[in-house]
PDB file of all heavy atoms in Angstrom:
ATOM      1  N   TYR A  76      -7.806   6.230   7.734  1.00 98.00           N
ATOM      2  CA  TYR A  76      -9.015   5.519   8.200  1.00 98.00           C
ATOM      3  C   TYR A  76      -8.641   4.399   9.127  1.00 98.00           C
ATOM      4  O   TYR A  76      -9.343   4.094  10.156  1.00 98.00           O
ATOM      5  CB  TYR A  76      -9.766   4.889   6.953  1.00 98.00           C
ATOM      6  CG  TYR A  76     -10.572   5.819   6.153  1.00 98.00           C
ATOM      7  CD1 TYR A  76     -10.576   5.728   4.774  1.00 98.00           C
ATOM      8  CD2 TYR A  76     -11.419   6.740   6.685  1.00 98.00           C
ATOM      9  CE1 TYR A  76     -11.406   6.533   4.002  1.00 98.00           C
ATOM     10  CE2 TYR A  76     -12.274   7.539   5.937  1.00 98.00           C
ATOM     11  CZ  TYR A  76     -12.237   7.523   4.573  1.00 98.00           C
ATOM     12  OH  TYR A  76     -13.039   8.235   3.849  1.00 98.00           O
ATOM     13  N   HIS A  77      -7.529   3.771   8.857  1.00 97.00           N
ATOM     14  CA  HIS A  77      -7.052   2.699   9.756  1.00 97.00           C
ATOM     15  C   HIS A  77      -6.732   3.301  11.156  1.00 97.00           C
ATOM     16  O   HIS A  77      -6.933   2.681  12.128  1.00 97.00           O
ATOM     17  CB  HIS A  77      -5.858   1.980   9.152  1.00 97.00           C
ATOM     18  CG  HIS A  77      -6.158   0.971   8.161  1.00 97.00           C
ATOM     19  ND1 HIS A  77      -6.278   1.170   6.818  1.00 97.00           N
ATOM     20  CD2 HIS A  77      -6.495  -0.376   8.347  1.00 97.00           C
ATOM     21  CE1 HIS A  77      -6.646   0.077   6.211  1.00 97.00           C
ATOM     22  NE2 HIS A  77      -6.749  -0.856   7.087  1.00 97.00           N
ATOM     23  N   ALA A  78      -6.122   4.496  11.082  1.00 96.00           N
ATOM     24  CA  ALA A  78      -5.740   5.146  12.420  1.00 96.00           C
ATOM     25  C   ALA A  78      -6.955   5.303  13.273  1.00 96.00           C
ATOM     26  O   ALA A  78      -6.851   5.166  14.515  1.00 96.00           O
ATOM     27  CB  ALA A  78      -5.054   6.480  12.065  1.00 96.00           C
ATOM     28  N   LEU A  79      -8.110   5.574  12.727  1.00 97.00           N
ATOM     29  CA  LEU A  79      -9.316   5.779  13.548  1.00 97.00           C
ATOM     30  C   LEU A  79      -9.662   4.515  14.392  1.00 97.00           C
ATOM     31  O   LEU A  79     -10.304   4.633  15.398  1.00 97.00           O
ATOM     32  CB  LEU A  79     -10.460   6.153  12.754  1.00 97.00           C
ATOM     33  CG  LEU A  79     -10.370   7.524  11.982  1.00 97.00           C
ATOM     34  CD1 LEU A  79     -11.673   7.838  11.217  1.00 97.00           C
ATOM     35  CD2 LEU A  79     -10.089   8.702  12.948  1.00 97.00           C
ATOM     36  N   ILE A  80      -9.201   3.452  13.905  1.00 95.00           N
ATOM     37  CA  ILE A  80      -9.523   2.142  14.608  1.00 95.00           C
ATOM     38  C   ILE A  80      -8.782   2.157  15.982  1.00 95.00           C
ATOM     39  O   ILE A  80      -9.262   1.748  16.984  1.00 95.00           O
ATOM     40  CB  ILE A  80      -9.119   0.915  13.824  1.00 95.00           C
ATOM     41  CG1 ILE A  80      -9.963   0.867  12.510  1.00 95.00           C
ATOM     42  CG2 ILE A  80      -9.210  -0.365  14.625  1.00 95.00           C
ATOM     43  CD1 ILE A  80      -9.416  -0.199  11.534  1.00 95.00           C
ATOM     44  N   LYS A  81      -7.574   2.698  15.962  1.00 91.00           N
ATOM     45  CA  LYS A  81      -6.743   2.678  17.215  1.00 91.00           C
ATOM     46  C   LYS A  81      -6.793   3.944  17.995  1.00 91.00           C
ATOM     47  O   LYS A  81      -6.324   4.005  19.164  1.00 91.00           O
ATOM     48  CB  LYS A  81      -5.318   2.451  16.802  1.00 91.00           C
ATOM     49  CG  LYS A  81      -5.029   1.162  16.094  1.00 91.00           C
ATOM     50  CD  LYS A  81      -3.503   0.941  15.925  1.00 91.00           C
ATOM     51  CE  LYS A  81      -3.209   0.148  14.687  1.00 91.00           C
ATOM     52  NZ  LYS A  81      -1.875   0.235  14.190  1.00 91.00           N
ATOM     53  N   THR A 124     -14.688  -1.027  -0.066  1.00 98.00           N
ATOM     54  CA  THR A 124     -14.843  -1.775   1.209  1.00 98.00           C
ATOM     55  C   THR A 124     -16.159  -2.463   1.325  1.00 98.00           C
ATOM     56  O   THR A 124     -16.296  -3.581   1.690  1.00 98.00           O
ATOM     57  CB  THR A 124     -14.489  -0.841   2.423  1.00 98.00           C
ATOM     58  OG1 THR A 124     -13.237  -0.320   2.319  1.00 98.00           O
ATOM     59  CG2 THR A 124     -14.644  -1.565   3.756  1.00 98.00           C
ATOM     60  N   LEU A 136     -12.852 -13.306   9.007  1.00 97.00           N
ATOM     61  CA  LEU A 136     -12.472 -12.170   9.821  1.00 97.00           C
ATOM     62  C   LEU A 136     -12.311 -12.529  11.272  1.00 97.00           C
ATOM     63  O   LEU A 136     -11.502 -12.022  11.931  1.00 97.00           O
ATOM     64  CB  LEU A 136     -13.544 -11.084   9.653  1.00 97.00           C
ATOM     65  CG  LEU A 136     -13.679 -10.506   8.236  1.00 97.00           C
ATOM     66  CD1 LEU A 136     -14.775  -9.409   8.197  1.00 97.00           C
ATOM     67  CD2 LEU A 136     -12.347  -9.867   7.736  1.00 97.00           C
ATOM     68  N   ALA A 139      -8.797 -13.339  11.951  1.00 96.00           N
ATOM     69  CA  ALA A 139      -7.697 -12.311  11.774  1.00 96.00           C
ATOM     70  C   ALA A 139      -6.950 -12.100  13.034  1.00 96.00           C
ATOM     71  O   ALA A 139      -7.549 -12.035  14.165  1.00 96.00           O
ATOM     72  CB  ALA A 139      -8.339 -11.035  11.297  1.00 96.00           C
ATOM     73  N   ALA A 141      -5.345  -9.687  14.638  1.00 93.00           N
ATOM     74  CA  ALA A 141      -5.514  -8.547  15.481  1.00 93.00           C
ATOM     75  C   ALA A 141      -6.844  -8.760  16.263  1.00 93.00           C
ATOM     76  O   ALA A 141      -6.908  -8.502  17.483  1.00 93.00           O
ATOM     77  CB  ALA A 141      -5.517  -7.281  14.755  1.00 93.00           C
ATOM     78  N   TYR A 142      -7.844  -9.126  15.581  1.00 96.00           N
ATOM     79  CA  TYR A 142      -9.168  -9.362  16.246  1.00 96.00           C
ATOM     80  C   TYR A 142      -9.037 -10.568  17.245  1.00 96.00           C
ATOM     81  O   TYR A 142      -9.539 -10.404  18.405  1.00 96.00           O
ATOM     82  CB  TYR A 142     -10.200  -9.699  15.220  1.00 96.00           C
ATOM     83  CG  TYR A 142     -11.559 -10.133  15.768  1.00 96.00           C
ATOM     84  CD1 TYR A 142     -12.308  -9.213  16.495  1.00 96.00           C
ATOM     85  CD2 TYR A 142     -11.997 -11.366  15.580  1.00 96.00           C
ATOM     86  CE1 TYR A 142     -13.498  -9.697  17.119  1.00 96.00           C
ATOM     87  CE2 TYR A 142     -13.250 -11.832  16.145  1.00 96.00           C
ATOM     88  CZ  TYR A 142     -13.931 -10.945  16.858  1.00 96.00           C
ATOM     89  OH  TYR A 142     -15.127 -11.377  17.456  1.00 96.00           O
ATOM     90  N   SER A 145      -7.470  -9.736  20.559  1.00 96.00           N
ATOM     91  CA  SER A 145      -8.304  -9.023  21.443  1.00 96.00           C
ATOM     92  C   SER A 145      -9.285  -9.978  22.184  1.00 96.00           C
ATOM     93  O   SER A 145      -9.599  -9.894  23.323  1.00 96.00           O
ATOM     94  CB  SER A 145      -9.145  -7.898  20.808  1.00 96.00           C
ATOM     95  OG  SER A 145      -8.323  -6.924  20.239  1.00 96.00           O
ATOM     96  N   ASP A 159     -15.170  -4.274  24.403  1.00 95.00           N
ATOM     97  CA  ASP A 159     -14.253  -3.271  23.907  1.00 95.00           C
ATOM     98  C   ASP A 159     -13.730  -3.503  22.488  1.00 95.00           C
ATOM     99  O   ASP A 159     -12.735  -2.870  22.069  1.00 95.00           O
ATOM    100  CB  ASP A 159     -13.092  -2.952  24.876  1.00 95.00           C
ATOM    101  CG  ASP A 159     -13.559  -2.357  26.154  1.00 95.00           C
ATOM    102  OD1 ASP A 159     -14.549  -1.629  26.103  1.00 95.00           O
ATOM    103  OD2 ASP A 159     -12.979  -2.675  27.159  1.00 95.00           O
ATOM    104  N   VAL A 160     -14.289  -4.448  21.761  1.00 97.00           N
ATOM    105  CA  VAL A 160     -13.856  -4.655  20.428  1.00 97.00           C
ATOM    106  C   VAL A 160     -14.780  -3.855  19.464  1.00 97.00           C
ATOM    107  O   VAL A 160     -16.012  -4.152  19.467  1.00 97.00           O
ATOM    108  CB  VAL A 160     -13.833  -6.172  20.033  1.00 97.00           C
ATOM    109  CG1 VAL A 160     -13.482  -6.334  18.555  1.00 97.00           C
ATOM    110  CG2 VAL A 160     -12.887  -6.910  20.789  1.00 97.00           C
ATOM    111  N   THR A 161     -14.299  -2.943  18.632  1.00 97.00           N
ATOM    112  CA  THR A 161     -15.112  -2.239  17.740  1.00 97.00           C
ATOM    113  C   THR A 161     -15.364  -3.068  16.433  1.00 97.00           C
ATOM    114  O   THR A 161     -14.480  -3.903  16.120  1.00 97.00           O
ATOM    115  CB  THR A 161     -14.595  -0.839  17.364  1.00 97.00           C
ATOM    116  OG1 THR A 161     -13.348  -1.098  16.663  1.00 97.00           O
ATOM    117  CG2 THR A 161     -14.315   0.003  18.529  1.00 97.00           C
ATOM    118  N   ALA A 162     -16.375  -2.712  15.719  1.00 97.00           N
ATOM    119  CA  ALA A 162     -16.538  -3.347  14.447  1.00 97.00           C
ATOM    120  C   ALA A 162     -15.462  -2.891  13.475  1.00 97.00           C
ATOM    121  O   ALA A 162     -15.149  -3.542  12.538  1.00 97.00           O
ATOM    122  CB  ALA A 162     -17.942  -2.982  13.845  1.00 97.00           C
ATOM    123  N   GLY A 163     -14.912  -1.709  13.811  1.00 97.00           N
ATOM    124  CA  GLY A 163     -13.742  -1.146  13.021  1.00 97.00           C
ATOM    125  C   GLY A 163     -12.607  -2.138  13.053  1.00 97.00           C
ATOM    126  O   GLY A 163     -11.976  -2.475  12.043  1.00 97.00           O
ATOM    127  N   LEU A 164     -12.233  -2.596  14.275  1.00 97.00           N
ATOM    128  CA  LEU A 164     -11.212  -3.539  14.410  1.00 97.00           C
ATOM    129  C   LEU A 164     -11.498  -4.885  13.679  1.00 97.00           C
ATOM    130  O   LEU A 164     -10.631  -5.426  12.961  1.00 97.00           O
ATOM    131  CB  LEU A 164     -10.960  -3.873  15.886  1.00 97.00           C
ATOM    132  CG  LEU A 164      -9.793  -4.873  16.162  1.00 97.00           C
ATOM    133  CD1 LEU A 164      -8.458  -4.370  15.731  1.00 97.00           C
ATOM    134  CD2 LEU A 164      -9.792  -5.349  17.592  1.00 97.00           C
ATOM    135  N   PHE A 165     -12.728  -5.278  13.733  1.00 98.00           N
ATOM    136  CA  PHE A 165     -13.139  -6.545  13.106  1.00 98.00           C
ATOM    137  C   PHE A 165     -13.034  -6.391  11.602  1.00 98.00           C
ATOM    138  O   PHE A 165     -12.554  -7.337  10.926  1.00 98.00           O
ATOM    139  CB  PHE A 165     -14.552  -6.832  13.567  1.00 98.00           C
ATOM    140  CG  PHE A 165     -15.045  -8.169  13.052  1.00 98.00           C
ATOM    141  CD1 PHE A 165     -14.491  -9.362  13.584  1.00 98.00           C
ATOM    142  CD2 PHE A 165     -16.047  -8.265  12.121  1.00 98.00           C
ATOM    143  CE1 PHE A 165     -14.959 -10.571  13.149  1.00 98.00           C
ATOM    144  CE2 PHE A 165     -16.464  -9.514  11.663  1.00 98.00           C
ATOM    145  CZ  PHE A 165     -15.936 -10.677  12.174  1.00 98.00           C
ATOM    146  N   MET A 166     -13.377  -5.225  11.096  1.00 98.00           N
ATOM    147  CA  MET A 166     -13.441  -5.017   9.601  1.00 98.00           C
ATOM    148  C   MET A 166     -12.106  -4.556   8.998  1.00 98.00           C
ATOM    149  O   MET A 166     -12.085  -4.432   7.808  1.00 98.00           O
ATOM    150  CB  MET A 166     -14.493  -3.952   9.298  1.00 98.00           C
ATOM    151  CG  MET A 166     -15.916  -4.317   9.570  1.00 98.00           C
ATOM    152  SD  MET A 166     -16.433  -5.638   8.480  1.00 98.00           S
ATOM    153  CE  MET A 166     -16.316  -4.773   6.966  1.00 98.00           C
ATOM    154  N   TYR A 167     -11.122  -4.340   9.867  1.00 96.00           N
ATOM    155  CA  TYR A 167      -9.791  -3.826   9.421  1.00 96.00           C
ATOM    156  C   TYR A 167      -9.291  -4.524   8.193  1.00 96.00           C
ATOM    157  O   TYR A 167      -8.898  -3.865   7.254  1.00 96.00           O
ATOM    158  CB  TYR A 167      -8.968  -4.032  10.655  1.00 96.00           C
ATOM    159  CG  TYR A 167      -7.489  -3.594  10.532  1.00 96.00           C
ATOM    160  CD1 TYR A 167      -6.984  -2.633  11.365  1.00 96.00           C
ATOM    161  CD2 TYR A 167      -6.641  -4.228   9.690  1.00 96.00           C
ATOM    162  CE1 TYR A 167      -5.672  -2.233  11.348  1.00 96.00           C
ATOM    163  CE2 TYR A 167      -5.283  -3.907   9.623  1.00 96.00           C
ATOM    164  CZ  TYR A 167      -4.806  -2.875  10.464  1.00 96.00           C
ATOM    165  OH  TYR A 167      -3.519  -2.549  10.399  1.00 96.00           O
ATOM    166  N   PRO A 168      -9.309  -5.867   8.147  1.00 98.00           N
ATOM    167  CA  PRO A 168      -8.806  -6.551   6.933  1.00 98.00           C
ATOM    168  C   PRO A 168      -9.569  -6.207   5.682  1.00 98.00           C
ATOM    169  O   PRO A 168      -8.955  -6.183   4.595  1.00 98.00           O
ATOM    170  CB  PRO A 168      -8.889  -8.017   7.284  1.00 98.00           C
ATOM    171  CG  PRO A 168      -9.019  -8.144   8.754  1.00 98.00           C
ATOM    172  CD  PRO A 168      -9.726  -6.908   9.137  1.00 98.00           C
ATOM    173  N   VAL A 169     -10.821  -5.943   5.781  1.00 98.00           N
ATOM    174  CA  VAL A 169     -11.585  -5.583   4.530  1.00 98.00           C
ATOM    175  C   VAL A 169     -11.174  -4.223   4.018  1.00 98.00           C
ATOM    176  O   VAL A 169     -10.950  -4.103   2.794  1.00 98.00           O
ATOM    177  CB  VAL A 169     -13.103  -5.677   4.822  1.00 98.00           C
ATOM    178  CG1 VAL A 169     -13.863  -5.582   3.516  1.00 98.00           C
ATOM    179  CG2 VAL A 169     -13.516  -6.921   5.565  1.00 98.00           C
ATOM    180  N   LEU A 170     -11.075  -3.283   4.890  1.00 98.00           N
ATOM    181  CA  LEU A 170     -10.584  -1.942   4.584  1.00 98.00           C
ATOM    182  C   LEU A 170      -9.243  -2.063   3.931  1.00 98.00           C
ATOM    183  O   LEU A 170      -8.963  -1.463   2.852  1.00 98.00           O
ATOM    184  CB  LEU A 170     -10.598  -1.040   5.778  1.00 98.00           C
ATOM    185  CG  LEU A 170     -10.083   0.396   5.549  1.00 98.00           C
ATOM    186  CD1 LEU A 170     -10.966   1.176   4.592  1.00 98.00           C
ATOM    187  CD2 LEU A 170     -10.071   1.188   6.921  1.00 98.00           C
ATOM    188  N   MET A 171      -8.378  -2.837   4.494  1.00 98.00           N
ATOM    189  CA  MET A 171      -7.056  -3.014   3.944  1.00 98.00           C
ATOM    190  C   MET A 171      -7.070  -3.761   2.626  1.00 98.00           C
ATOM    191  O   MET A 171      -6.315  -3.368   1.649  1.00 98.00           O
ATOM    192  CB  MET A 171      -6.159  -3.789   4.898  1.00 98.00           C
ATOM    193  CG  MET A 171      -4.739  -3.870   4.505  1.00 98.00           C
ATOM    194  SD  MET A 171      -3.643  -4.279   5.895  1.00 98.00           S
ATOM    195  CE  MET A 171      -2.268  -4.916   4.977  1.00 98.00           C
ATOM    196  N   HIS A 192      -3.069 -10.427   6.343  1.00 97.00           N
ATOM    197  CA  HIS A 192      -4.035  -9.427   5.725  1.00 97.00           C
ATOM    198  C   HIS A 192      -3.908  -9.486   4.175  1.00 97.00           C
ATOM    199  O   HIS A 192      -4.922  -9.284   3.455  1.00 97.00           O
ATOM    200  CB  HIS A 192      -3.801  -8.036   6.182  1.00 97.00           C
ATOM    201  CG  HIS A 192      -4.042  -7.865   7.623  1.00 97.00           C
ATOM    202  ND1 HIS A 192      -3.291  -7.087   8.512  1.00 97.00           N
ATOM    203  CD2 HIS A 192      -5.080  -8.318   8.400  1.00 97.00           C
ATOM    204  CE1 HIS A 192      -3.839  -7.117   9.716  1.00 97.00           C
ATOM    205  NE2 HIS A 192      -4.870  -7.885   9.689  1.00 97.00           N
TER     206      HIS A 192
END
Side-chain angles (χ1 to χ4, degrees):
Y76 281 139
H77 279 90
L79 295 182
I80 297 170
K81 299 185 206 163
T124 298
L136 297 180
Y142 170 68
S145 295
D159 292 326
V160 175
T161 65
L164 176 66
F165 187 68
M166 293 293 297
Y167 179 118
V169 188
L170 178 59
M171 185 160 159
H192 293 141

